[in-house]
Amino acid sequence: DCVMDIRQFLLETPESCYFTCYQLQMAGDTKVINDFAELSEYPELKQEGKSNHLKMVPGFYDERSARTHVRRLREIIVKPPVHITQKMNPYVSESGSETTTKKGKKGAKSKGTSEKLHKVPSSDILEKLDLLEYPKTEKSQSVPEVVRNINFSAWNPPPGNRRLRGDLLYLEVTTLEENSLHITCSVTGFFLNSSTRDTFDPSPAVTDYKSHTLVELLKKASHTFSSRFSRLMSRKMTKHPYEVVMRPYPVYEWMAVKPKHAYDWNRAEDSLLTTYGMEGGRGVLRDWNEEYQCCHEMPRTNLVERILYNRTKYRVYLDFREAAVKGACAVIDGNIPPINPMDEERAWVYLYNKIFFSLTIDGRDSYKDIGGDRVSHCNASHDLLGITAFERADVKELYTLATLAVDYRGHRVLAQSIIPGIFHGDQASTHVYGSMDSTDSIKSSPDFHKLMLKAAKKLHIKEHRVVDAKGNTVTLASCVETKGIIGSDRRHYVLDLTRVFPRDANFPNYQKNPTSLLRPELVEDFCCRKAISTIVAKRNREAAAAAEAKKAGKSAEAKNEGKNTDQSAPPAADNQKDGTTDKDNSKSDTPQPDGKAETAQPESKAKGPKANDNAYISEMESIAFNPDAFCNVKSPDKKVEESDALEVAAASAFLLNNVIPKLVAQNFRLLQDSPLDGESLKRIMHKHGINMRYLGRMAALAVQCNMPHIAQLCTQEMIVRAAKHLINGFLRDVKPDLQESKSSWFLAPCVCRFLNTFLGPKCCGTGLSKEELEAANKVLEAQEKEDDSKDQRRQIPRGKSRSKRRRARKVDSINVRLPDGKKAPTDPLAPANLWMAIHNLVQTKYNCKLGLHMEFSPRRKLCMLRSLCKKVGVQLACRNYDFTKDTIFEIEDVLNLYPVVKTIELTSKDAADYIEQGRIFLGRGRLHAAYAKLIEAQGILHQTYGPMHEQSAQCYTLLALVCYRAQDIPQAVEMQQKALLVYERILGIDHPDTVHAHSTMALFLHSSGQPKHALTHIRRALYLYELMCGPNHPNVAASHINIAMIYQDSGQVQRGLNHLKRAKECFQAVLGKNHMQVALCDHTIAVAHSLMGNFREAINFEKSAKALYAKEVGDKHPRIQESLMWLNWFTKNAVEVEKGLTEKGGLQPVHPNLSPFVWVSLQRFASPRQISPTDLVHLIKLTRSNQQKKSEQKASLNEAEKKDAVDLAPQPQPKPMANGGGELTKAQKRKIKRKLQRQRQKAEREAAAAAKARSS
């Protein structure tokens, strides 16, 4: 912490928010504290007594500080600070009925439930989504008006004689009493002068009011201001601390309430004097490249240094992101001139705020033969992916540039920091590696090549030789397009990392698919599996050879009877010793692989864990791919070229034949992964190493596996992505033109017209005849033949030449006739033309041929609207849209176009390793170890990124789950609430992770006996699920089951039964009638009927569930045994009902040994017990990193800190874990025994009370 943090705190506190010009001094000392110093430099502050107090001493104003003071007062008047009452957990002890106590716990809970739940709607099954419920509404207090206006006077600037007397600037303030006050800001403060609008008289006024702050002066001059400002500063608000913490970057929602345009002086001045991201107050431009590279040079040998390195780099990149986004938007808006205005307009580049901006278009015709602008657009994303890979490779002498891509108004702008000397000729910076002009000339410096080899080993890039156009043979450890430059600062920079990973051999034609690359996740997965299979095969061969040698030795001994036969004893002893060593090693804190993975364990002492690690690492480094395979790059050796192509083809075949079918047929079918929308589908596909161009393949497999929701989601994503490509082209063409209609002049009419056509009654060919669509296809073909460079013209951001071209196209020769003789429309936004353009684009990009007529329901159109707006950056007004009308959207509905930013992924590897270890421990039931690892991860994340980070939210979620399994429900609720707030603030209110957090929060709240709050969260999750993926989805069905469980526990079984029936219908629609989840619904419906006394119905549904279980998992599965127990119980109760034994009070609708509660969650938190080869490789990596971190922590952590970390861990579950849970102490056993006794006594009391109630 530094002194500036104290000043920031004082600036946000209502009591001192209007003090801006002051100095901090220690009590009893006149020495001024440096604002930029760290608090550790002043040890007196830590001492007890008066010396650790700070006092605020008024300072002298200058013109800059005076303007800052006035600006701060304006901010306070418009958005005043409030007294925040920080309530960590609003769900604890909210009311007497919601709080469980030791005495009468069940009665209090049921009473509170009956009082709270009768106010919910009679039917909360959503038949129609109300979009007015989408925004997260907060209770806002009205801000009282304290002053009419505060303006800078027209008498500014002060004349020379007044400036020499201390005048800095003049203000004109109109109070609520309609008095006009002319105020002078001088070096010592503020005072009233005698000027008017007609007369300049800077002398003090008759009243002679003076003050160091403008607020105190206005309090003296206006009684209304004094009273209202005091009321303004006394406002209070109850919020969680995470609701107050600033976001690291702005988050935009695709739908928002139309804001009121308030009167704001600061906003008006900022818009007129904007610097487009440049920090004008600093007086000097920030050198983004120097700051970023200095972070890269920071030491990171231990954990403390790595935390400081990650924190510094993250903060610098956040500042760069803010400046780059504002600059990119200014470039698109035409507010920044190019640095090469004499070149062709397509080749313009921009330099502003020491950031280099370039449009992702083929301005130099580098890709004119292989796709042009389309290739340049895709290469920006590949470049960010390559930079991320090199950042993770972490070669200290190799530098990358701070880079991001901004999609705004149909354009994509690439923003990069500047290599020193690159704009000052060849003498300042030198190109030493790769090719600047395709393959005409290729360079390779030996020193630079050594650095590239270090990164190539980690990224599986093969060292290979290429031949340039002049016939020279060059050895590279990258693709030919990658460039190595030595800047004027003598640093080695690598850029244009567009082809770090090999090409996809499933798309071998380089001319048609130049950007088809394999993803880094697939390359890593393939290399892991290949390395493990090689190691296991080698071990098996060694074992077989050893067995044959042993057998040969025994036969030799049998022939030689006179010799000693005890020579075979030492190997047996060695084997026994090795087995003991392996067993001891398996008890370490680092999770070790088990199950089938034990085949990779060493068999001798020489081949211990360290040898196993080294064998794996060396095997992994030996697997590499040639990034120039399947490209138009010459190789001097044809055999090597063919061998490299076979290696890449093997990885591509692994993707096509193994990864994709497994994801669809196994993960999606068994609900191990459940995508909600296009964003979550993309994340799941990328996690498994699958590119988005395989969407057509996945849709076909989903149809074969009878998963209509996956097929529909893939189809929807392909259509929306094609529509995004088209609307971006239309947005790029929007410019005023007298020859065009005004509807195409501006952005809002263009967006409105496109959405009306795309989602209107004729959406996707609905209502259009086959002849109309065929005519539209002919029109598109004719337009393509007429203008082959149509896409390149659309990429021009501004200029007059496009208007001339559009006027030339107006007089076109396209004459396609419909069957009735009418001319087919040539407008690209005609329904038939737009749908055929989308249809053809889907077939080209995804190799998927859609039907000519596709019908989508209004709910599905709403999902498509949301997805398209998020991809393009369109913000719409929050209202209910009727998709059955011809005109769905009005121009006023388009509120804004916001930038969509793609950045480099900067993550903490230490925190990620700890989180993964905690997840594995959690999956094994070792709660103590999981809690300790997650707490360490959370500490690292807070020091590195602060609480507002996605990794922090993931860690909070896992911590909440650990606490829940350890029966610490209040702590679980608190942790999950933090995760939910972080997800909402950094990802948005309708992000898939946010919705999962709502669902998990409902589970924890229901477990803590708070059904009202649980219903609030689960119904919010259900609303967002249906908004994102429609009414038929596994997550929607799971939410219905969870709502039913809450109602069932609250005594409202009939309402819960309605949700269970809806869940069953949903599961049958998306998974088929024979899925396990349908059987689960039948079981829950049976329990609900049992609770209502309908035992015959319960028996029928339980029989149906048992039959489905037997069909899917066999007769010996535990589910079958449990179902049989339920059937026997229902049958017993049914017989008692038939005999009339219910009056005796012995009837129990629920089995005493089986829980009727079922909570369905399709989100995967913990690792499965069966570890896959990929998990095994990850565990091997974690073993090495954990051993290194343990040695570092021994030097940095003291024993007290270690003890505190252990004491913070929750107690384990009462039931000891079978897989590494450890022995329980005597105190723990006594505690568990007492708890079980209380539970039995409670169950007996409840049974007696129920029997008494029935008898009465």
Side-chain angles (χ1 to χ4, degrees):
D1 295 332
C2 60
V3 181
M4 190 61 71
D5 296 328
I6 298 177
R7 296 184 69 98
Q8 184 65 29
F9 171 77
L10 295 174
L11 198 64
E12 296 172 355
T13 305
E15 292 80 3
S16 58
C17 61
Y18 54 88
F19 292 99
T20 60
C21 185
Y22 61 89
Q23 296 174 342
L24 291 175
Q25 294 180 358
M26 283 186 290
D29 192 358
T30 58
K31 182 180 179 181
V32 177
I33 295 180
N34 187 358
D35 293 339
F36 299 95
E38 295 186 358
L39 295 179
S40 58
E41 298 181 13
Y42 299 94
E44 300 87 352
L45 296 176
K46 297 183 180 180
Q47 299 176 1
E48 295 184 0
K50 295 183 179 180
S51 61
N52 63 352
H53 293 175
L54 294 176
K55 62 180 180 180
M56 300 169 60
V57 180
F60 294 105
Y61 287 97
D62 54 22
E63 188 172 351
R64 178 173 174 269
S65 59
R67 291 180 180 274
T68 302
H69 185 86
V70 176
R71 178 182 177 83
R72 178 55 182 162
L73 178 56
R74 287 175 167 180
E75 291 176 352
I76 293 172
I77 293 173
V78 175
K79 190 176 181 180
V82 294
H83 293 272
I84 301 296
T85 303
Q86 296 184 353
K87 194 169 184 179
M88 295 299 296
N89 190 354
Y91 306 110
V92 176
S93 301
E94 185 167 337
S95 62
S97 60
E98 290 285 347
T99 306
T100 57
T101 57
K102 291 185 178 180
K103 295 183 179 181
K105 180 177 178 181
K106 182 70 177 181
K109 178 181 175 182
S110 60
K111 181 180 178 182
T113 298
S114 62
E115 292 177 359
K116 296 290 182 179
L117 293 187
H118 77 279
K119 295 182 180 180
V120 300
S122 58
S123 177
D124 44 4
I125 297 179
L126 302 176
E127 300 296 339
K128 182 179 180 181
L129 284 181
D130 185 6
L131 293 182
L132 298 178
E133 298 180 7
Y134 170 76
K136 185 180 179 182
T137 58
E138 297 181 357
K139 294 182 179 180
S140 58
Q141 302 177 3
S142 60
V143 179
E145 187 181 10
V146 297
V147 69
R148 287 279 184 260
N149 56 51
I150 302 176
N151 295 330
F152 288 95
S153 175
W155 297 114
N156 284 306
N161 61 329
R162 294 303 303 179
R163 187 177 292 276
L164 295 177
R165 297 180 63 179
D167 290 0
L168 297 175
L169 52 87
Y170 303 120
L171 301 174
E172 185 176 351
V173 179
T174 304
T175 64
L176 295 178
E177 296 91 348
E178 300 301 334
N179 296 328
S180 182
L181 305 178
H182 289 262
I183 300 174
T184 298
C185 175
S186 65
V187 176
T188 57
F190 297 83
F191 64 87
L192 294 179
N193 60 41
S194 302
S195 298
T196 64
R197 289 197 173 186
D198 300 326
T199 306
F200 176 67
D201 185 1
S203 61
V206 179
T207 53
D208 197 19
Y209 291 141
K210 295 182 180 179
S211 179
H212 185 264
T213 64
L214 184 57
V215 171
E216 298 298 332
L217 177 67
L218 293 177
K219 283 183 178 180
K220 296 176 183 179
S222 173
H223 295 288
T224 307
F225 179 88
S226 178
S227 61
R228 293 200 175 189
F229 190 82
S230 300
R231 196 191 337 158
L232 189 69
M233 293 294 101
S234 61
R235 299 192 317 153
K236 296 182 179 179
M237 188 176 295
T238 301
K239 282 190 174 183
H240 191 279
Y242 283 7
E243 295 180 272
V244 185
V245 178
M246 291 183 60
R247 292 186 178 101
Y249 44 81
V251 178
Y252 302 95
E253 300 293 345
W254 70 277
M255 185 179 293
V257 179
K258 190 174 182 179
K260 295 182 180 179
H261 199 61
Y263 192 79
D264 190 346
W265 306 290
N266 287 339
R267 187 188 64 241
E269 288 186 3
D270 288 345
S271 64
L272 294 174
L273 306 175
T274 181
T275 57
Y276 308 115
M278 186 183 296
E279 297 182 7
R282 294 170 60 95
V284 63
L285 295 180
R286 293 181 66 174
D287 191 341
W288 299 108
N289 185 74
E290 184 63 26
E291 292 186 30
Y292 192 75
Q293 308 311 336
C294 286
C295 295
H296 187 74
E297 293 172 348
M298 294 176 65
R300 39 193 181 276
T301 56
N302 54 46
L303 181 60
V304 177
E305 291 180 347
R306 286 195 294 271
I307 290 176
L308 183 60
Y309 160 76
N310 289 326
R311 178 174 62 188
T312 308
K313 195 167 190 176
Y314 178 70
R315 291 184 177 179
V316 169
Y317 190 73
L318 280 182
D319 293 343
F320 171 79
R321 169 180 175 153
E322 181 182 3
V325 170
K326 291 180 179 178
C329 294
V331 166
I332 298 303
D333 293 333
N335 298 322
I336 296 177
I339 61 175
N340 55 341
M342 301 303 294
D343 292 349
E344 186 184 353
E345 198 168 358
R346 289 174 48 80
W348 282 358
V349 293
Y350 306 83
L351 183 62
Y352 183 77
N353 195 13
K354 290 200 171 182
I355 302 175
F356 181 73
F357 299 97
S358 59
L359 294 168
T360 56
I361 57 178
D362 190 18
R364 303 292 182 182
D365 294 333
S366 302
Y367 308 109
K368 62 179 181 179
D369 297 329
I370 56 175
D373 294 342
R374 177 178 59 86
V375 176
S376 182
H377 185 86
C378 294
N379 280 345
S381 299
H382 291 321
D383 195 16
L384 292 173
L385 203 61
I387 293 174
T388 301
F390 269 76
E391 286 286 343
R392 292 177 178 174
D394 197 16
V395 179
K396 195 168 184 179
E397 299 86 359
L398 208 56
Y399 298 85
T400 58
L401 301 179
T403 310
L404 59 82
V406 180
D407 292 337
Y408 179 61
R409 286 178 49 177
H411 302 271
R412 173 168 289 182
V413 181
L414 193 66
Q416 297 173 302
S417 59
I418 303 172
I419 298 177
I422 197 169
F423 292 116
H424 299 87
D426 295 336
Q427 300 300 324
S429 61
T430 309
H431 169 232
V432 297
Y433 202 80
S435 174
M436 281 286 189
D437 46 7
S438 185
T439 58
D440 292 343
S441 61
I442 306 174
K443 297 182 179 180
S444 179
S445 168
D447 296 335
F448 207 101
H449 186 68
K450 292 179 181 179
L451 299 178
M452 293 296 293
L453 281 177
K454 294 180 181 180
K457 287 183 179 180
K458 299 180 180 180
L459 300 176
H460 308 289
I461 300 174
K462 187 174 184 179
E463 184 182 16
H464 59 285
R465 295 189 302 163
V466 296
V467 180
D468 60 10
K470 300 177 182 178
N472 301 322
T473 301
V474 182
T475 303
L476 297 176
S478 66
C479 67
V480 293
E481 287 87 355
T482 299
K483 300 169 182 60
I485 296 177
I486 300 178
S488 60
D489 55 357
R490 310 319 299 166
R491 293 190 179 109
H492 294 73
Y493 294 92
V494 57
L495 61 155
D496 285 353
L497 300 171
T498 56
R499 286 203 299 111
V500 172
F501 305 102
R503 290 199 70 251
D504 190 350
N506 299 321
F507 298 85
N509 192 332
Y510 182 74
Q511 299 295 330
K512 293 184 178 180
N513 304 283
T515 59
S516 300
L517 307 180
L518 297 177
R519 287 197 59 83
E521 298 88 352
L522 178 88
V523 173
E524 186 72 17
D525 187 16
F526 179 79
C527 294
C528 290
R529 293 175 182 272
K530 187 174 181 180
I532 289 177
S533 62
T534 304
I535 292 174
V536 171
K538 183 179 179 181
R539 299 283 170 81
N540 292 338
R541 288 195 301 269
E542 291 177 355
E548 292 180 359
K550 188 175 181 181
K551 184 177 180 181
K554 286 184 179 180
S555 61
E557 290 173 2
K559 292 180 180 179
N560 206 355
E561 299 178 356
K563 294 186 179 180
N564 189 5
T565 59
D566 295 336
Q567 296 178 359
S568 61
D574 289 343
N575 290 338
Q576 184 178 0
K577 185 176 179 180
D578 294 340
T580 304
T581 303
D582 292 342
K583 185 177 180 180
D584 294 339
N585 289 335
S586 65
K587 296 181 180 180
S588 63
D589 286 340
T590 304
Q592 297 293 332
D594 53 7
K596 296 181 180 180
E598 292 178 357
T599 55
Q601 294 295 325
E603 297 182 358
S604 63
K605 186 175 180 180
K607 298 178 181 179
K610 189 174 294 186
N612 188 30
D613 256 2
N614 295 334
Y616 166 75
I617 294 173
S618 61
E619 189 64 35
M620 282 287 290
E621 291 181 351
S622 66
I623 303 173
F625 302 95
N626 184 355
D628 288 325
F630 294 99
C631 297
N632 295 337
V633 179
K634 295 181 181 180
S635 174
D637 193 337
K638 292 296 182 182
K639 292 184 178 180
V640 174
E641 183 179 2
E642 293 175 358
S643 175
D644 294 344
L646 289 176
E647 293 175 354
V648 175
S652 304
F654 172 72
L655 168 64
L656 188 63
N657 302 326
N658 295 76
V659 179
I660 297 178
K662 180 184 176 183
L663 177 64
V664 177
Q666 181 175 331
N667 292 38
F668 289 163
R669 182 65 184 170
L670 302 180
L671 299 181
Q672 296 176 0
D673 289 306
S674 181
L676 298 173
D677 58 351
E679 183 65 27
S680 59
L681 177 63
K682 182 186 76 172
R683 186 170 55 178
I684 292 172
M685 291 176 64
H686 287 177
K687 177 184 174 182
H688 290 81
I690 305 174
N691 306 84
M692 299 306 292
R693 60 179 171 271
Y694 286 101
L695 277 172
R697 172 78 173 174
M698 292 185 60
L701 289 175
V703 172
Q704 295 176 9
C705 297
N706 192 22
M707 287 185 291
H709 69 291
I710 297 295
Q712 190 175 40
L713 179 58
C714 293
T715 304
Q716 170 188 317
E717 184 66 11
M718 288 187 290
I719 293 175
V720 170
R721 284 175 171 267
K724 181 195 75 169
H725 177 81
L726 295 176
I727 191 175
N728 282 338
F730 293 127
L731 289 175
R732 287 192 293 265
D733 271 341
V734 171
K735 282 293 177 181
D737 186 358
L738 294 177
Q739 300 297 326
E740 298 282 352
S741 63
K742 289 189 177 182
S743 61
S744 62
W745 281 20
F746 307 106
L747 296 168
C750 176
V751 173
C752 180
R753 189 182 175 199
F754 182 90
L755 293 179
N756 282 325
T757 305
F758 177 55
L759 300 172
K762 296 183 179 180
C763 168
C764 301
T766 304
L768 296 174
S769 64
K770 184 178 180 181
E771 291 76 12
E772 289 178 310
L773 296 176
E774 291 177 351
N777 196 26
K778 294 179 181 179
V779 169
L780 294 177
E781 292 177 356
Q783 289 177 348
E784 290 178 1
K785 291 179 180 179
E786 185 178 307
D787 190 0
D788 293 335
S789 60
K790 177 181 179 182
D791 291 336
Q792 296 181 359
R793 285 200 306 269
R794 283 184 172 175
Q795 291 284 356
I796 301 177
R798 55 196 297 270
K800 299 179 180 179
S801 56
R802 288 182 302 150
S803 302
K804 297 179 181 178
R805 286 198 296 267
R806 280 201 298 266
R807 287 195 294 271
R809 292 201 303 272
K810 289 288 287 186
V811 188
D812 56 352
S813 57
I814 300 176
N815 189 5
V816 179
R817 296 290 175 176
L818 296 173
D820 56 0
K822 295 182 180 180
K823 184 179 179 181
T826 58
D827 184 5
L829 283 177
N833 294 345
L834 180 61
W835 168 237
M836 289 311 299
I838 294 174
H839 184 277
N840 297 339
L841 195 57
V842 168
Q843 185 172 1
T844 302
K845 293 183 65 175
Y846 305 105
N847 195 22
C848 177
K849 189 173 182 179
L850 302 175
L852 289 179
H853 300 88
M854 302 186 68
E855 294 187 5
F856 292 101
S857 64
R859 295 282 285 273
R860 182 56 57 181
K861 290 181 181 180
L862 182 60
C863 299
M864 297 168 67
L865 172 66
R866 172 185 171 274
S867 181
L868 181 63
C869 290
K870 280 183 167 289
K871 286 177 170 59
V872 180
V874 177
Q875 188 176 65
L876 299 177
C878 184
R879 70 175 182 89
N880 291 313
Y881 295 99
D882 188 358
F883 290 95
T884 60
K885 294 183 177 180
D886 293 336
T887 303
I888 306 170
F889 305 92
E890 303 291 342
I891 295 178
E892 290 76 12
D893 293 331
V894 183
L895 299 182
N896 192 16
L897 288 178
Y898 58 85
V900 179
V901 186
K902 296 186 177 182
T903 62
I904 304 171
E905 295 182 12
L906 297 178
T907 56
S908 172
K909 188 177 183 302
D910 298 288
D913 289 345
Y914 279 127
I915 290 175
E916 186 63 24
Q917 293 179 41
R919 183 182 285 109
I920 293 173
F921 279 132
L922 178 60
R924 295 182 174 183
R926 299 180 60 183
L927 301 184
H928 279 289
Y931 189 86
K933 296 296 182 185
L934 293 173
I935 284 294
E936 290 181 14
Q938 196 62 56
I940 295 174
L941 291 171
H942 269 257
Q943 295 179 66
T944 306
Y945 308 117
M948 290 295 132
H949 195 268
E950 188 174 357
Q951 277 187 305
S952 297
Q954 294 172 2
C955 195
Y956 277 132
T957 301
L958 291 173
L959 280 170
L961 192 59
V962 171
C963 295
Y964 174 74
R965 293 188 180 180
Q967 303 300 316
D968 189 357
I969 306 300
Q971 186 72 9
V973 171
E974 182 178 338
M975 292 291 182
Q976 186 62 26
Q977 185 192 14
K978 292 180 179 179
L980 176 58
L981 289 174
V982 174
Y983 277 135
E984 282 185 341
R985 300 204 66 206
I986 66 173
L987 297 179
I989 61 177
D990 62 345
H991 192 273
D993 290 340
T994 306
V995 188
H996 288 314
H998 275 293
S999 182
T1000 309
M1001 188 72 171
L1003 168 63
F1004 296 160
L1005 288 172
H1006 179 258
S1007 301
S1008 65
Q1010 302 180 55
K1012 177 188 174 184
H1013 295 305
L1015 266 179
T1016 301
H1017 283 278
I1018 192 62
R1019 290 172 63 196
R1020 179 65 175 175
L1022 177 61
Y1023 175 86
L1024 294 176
Y1025 279 140
E1026 295 208 15
L1027 176 65
M1028 297 165 64
C1029 52
N1032 290 328
H1033 193 274
N1035 289 77
V1036 174
S1039 297
H1040 280 293
I1041 293 178
N1042 298 339
I1043 292 175
M1045 292 300 106
I1046 296 177
Y1047 281 135
Q1048 181 175 299
D1049 254 17
S1050 305
Q1052 302 187 27
V1053 184
Q1054 182 58 50
R1055 297 185 63 180
L1057 185 60
N1058 297 333
H1059 284 276
L1060 292 176
K1061 292 178 180 178
R1062 177 69 184 89
K1064 181 179 178 181
E1065 294 173 0
C1066 185
F1067 274 132
Q1068 288 178 338
V1070 299
L1071 299 175
K1073 296 183 178 181
N1074 297 326
H1075 198 272
M1076 292 279 288
Q1077 296 296 331
V1078 178
L1080 177 65
C1081 290
D1082 285 335
H1083 167 68
T1084 54
I1085 293 174
V1087 174
H1089 280 292
S1090 173
L1091 292 173
M1092 297 170 62
N1094 303 327
F1095 295 105
R1096 291 298 178 186
E1097 292 291 332
I1099 292 174
N1100 294 333
F1101 278 101
E1102 192 62 37
K1103 285 182 178 179
S1104 176
K1106 177 179 173 297
L1108 288 178
Y1109 284 142
K1111 186 175 181 179
E1112 292 293 321
V1113 297
D1115 294 334
K1116 296 183 179 180
H1117 197 271
R1119 289 284 182 90
I1120 298 294
Q1121 306 303 322
E1122 184 179 341
S1123 183
L1124 287 174
M1125 294 174 67
W1126 279 108
L1127 274 175
N1128 294 335
W1129 189 258
F1130 295 152
T1131 305
K1132 177 184 175 182
N1133 285 330
V1135 171
E1136 292 181 356
V1137 169
E1138 294 293 336
K1139 292 181 179 180
L1141 299 178
T1142 56
E1143 297 180 357
K1144 298 181 180 180
L1147 186 63
Q1148 296 184 16
V1150 178
H1151 199 288
N1153 299 326
L1154 298 176
S1155 173
F1157 181 74
V1158 175
W1159 191 275
V1160 181
S1161 176
L1162 302 183
Q1163 186 184 15
R1164 300 179 65 186
F1165 295 105
S1167 299
R1169 294 182 181 272
Q1170 295 295 331
I1171 297 181
S1172 65
T1174 309
D1175 297 326
L1176 171 62
V1177 173
H1178 202 66
L1179 292 177
I1180 294 174
K1181 294 180 181 178
L1182 292 179
T1183 305
R1184 296 183 67 243
S1185 62
N1186 191 64
Q1187 292 173 354
Q1188 180 182 359
K1189 290 168 187 173
K1190 279 186 176 180
S1191 62
E1192 296 171 0
Q1193 289 175 352
K1194 288 181 180 178
S1196 59
L1197 296 177
N1198 53 35
E1199 294 297 329
E1201 292 175 339
K1202 293 181 181 179
K1203 185 177 179 181
D1204 292 339
V1206 174
D1207 293 339
L1208 284 173
Q1211 295 297 324
Q1213 288 182 333
K1215 184 178 179 181
M1217 299 299 172
N1219 196 2
E1223 294 293 334
L1224 297 176
T1225 63
K1226 292 182 179 180
Q1228 291 173 338
K1229 291 180 179 178
R1230 287 196 299 269
K1231 183 176 180 181
I1232 295 171
K1233 186 177 180 180
R1234 289 195 298 269
K1235 186 172 182 179
L1236 293 176
Q1237 288 177 352
R1238 289 195 298 269
Q1239 290 178 351
R1240 283 196 298 268
Q1241 293 172 0
K1242 177 183 174 183
E1244 292 173 359
R1245 288 196 301 270
E1246 292 176 355
K1252 185 177 179 181
R1254 285 193 297 269
S1255 62
S1256 61

